[in-house]
Amino acid sequence: MSHSMDSMDGMGGMDSMNSSDSSMSMMMMMKTYLHFTPGDVVLFDTIHPTSAGTIFATCLIFFLISVGDRYLRAVARRLEHYRVRNAVHLAEFEAANDSKAQLPEGANTAIASLIHYTLMLVVMTFNVAYIISIILGVVVGEIAFGRLNH
């Protein structure tokens, strides 16, 4: 028995077993069903709101991020509409300033992707309060900024 433990120590077996145990206990703590339970880890290991005030603040932040996401989407649609409407003039401009014309679209796409993946990770906590906040933010953002195209 001690021989097998010594060989495991030489290969880093005990360290990997300890990290495996801690990740296993973390997996056991994570709820994989919809719940309102406080204390979920949100994006980073150091962020786990437990009091009503911190959960409310977290929900408010996710709500505002969702509204901001709809704003970015409206801006992207507006830019696309402008591009189509002014295709002839824009083609001449882009030919002269090709890299400058692509920069705002690329930045908008990068920010939108970052927001979408962040919100996806939040939804994967299965905390219903966070999910409702995100959905309400999308709805309010679409109501507020969805008309920018018309």
Side-chain angles (χ1 to χ4, degrees), residues 43-101:
L43 299 175
F44 300 102
D45 192 31
T46 56
I47 303 172
H48 44 88
T50 54
S51 70
T54 56
I55 291 173
F56 176 76
T58 305
C59 289
L60 183 62
I61 289 169
F62 294 144
F63 173 82
L64 294 174
I65 289 172
S66 298
V67 171
D69 174 57
R70 293 289 104 178
Y71 175 74
L72 286 176
R73 184 176 174 151
V75 168
R77 288 187 302 218
R78 180 75 127 177
L79 289 173
E80 184 64 27
H81 179 69
Y82 178 77
R83 172 184 282 213
V84 169
R85 199 175 89 214
N86 299 319
V88 175
H89 300 297
L90 196 57
E92 293 170 3
F93 175 76
E94 283 181 351
N97 302 310
D98 190 35
S99 63
K100 291 179 185 175

Side-chain angles (χ1 to χ4, degrees), residues 2-150:
S2 67
H3 175 66
S4 64
M5 286 298 216
D6 291 339
S7 64
M8 285 181 72
D9 284 342
M11 296 186 303
M14 293 304 284
D15 291 337
S16 64
M17 286 177 61
N18 289 339
S19 65
S20 173
D21 289 344
S22 66
S23 65
M24 186 63 100
S25 66
M26 185 64 175
M27 290 290 283
M28 292 175 73
M29 289 173 37
M30 184 176 157
K31 295 168 184 62
T32 56
Y33 53 88
L34 295 174
H35 64 280
F36 282 101
T37 311
D40 287 334
V41 174
V42 180
L43 299 175
F44 300 102
D45 192 31
T46 56
I47 303 172
H48 44 88
T50 54
S51 70
T54 56
I55 291 173
F56 176 76
T58 305
C59 289
L60 183 62
I61 289 169
F62 294 144
F63 173 82
L64 294 174
I65 289 172
S66 298
V67 171
D69 174 57
R70 293 289 104 178
Y71 175 74
L72 286 176
R73 184 176 174 151
V75 168
R77 288 187 302 218
R78 180 75 127 177
L79 289 173
E80 184 64 27
H81 179 69
Y82 178 77
R83 172 184 282 213
V84 169
R85 199 175 89 214
N86 299 319
V88 175
H89 300 297
L90 196 57
E92 293 170 3
F93 175 76
E94 283 181 351
N97 302 310
D98 190 35
S99 63
K100 291 179 185 175
Q102 297 299 323
L103 186 62
E105 291 177 19
N108 192 6
T109 301
I111 292 169
S113 294
L114 175 69
I115 290 171
H116 292 157
Y117 283 118
T118 301
L119 292 176
M120 176 195 65
L121 288 172
V122 170
V123 168
M124 288 174 60
T125 65
F126 293 101
N127 189 312
V128 178
Y130 302 155
I131 295 170
I132 290 171
S133 299
I134 291 169
I135 291 170
L136 287 175
V138 167
V139 169
V140 169
E142 193 62 33
I143 290 170
F145 304 117
R147 60 186 162 77
L148 290 180
N149 281 344
H150 305 297

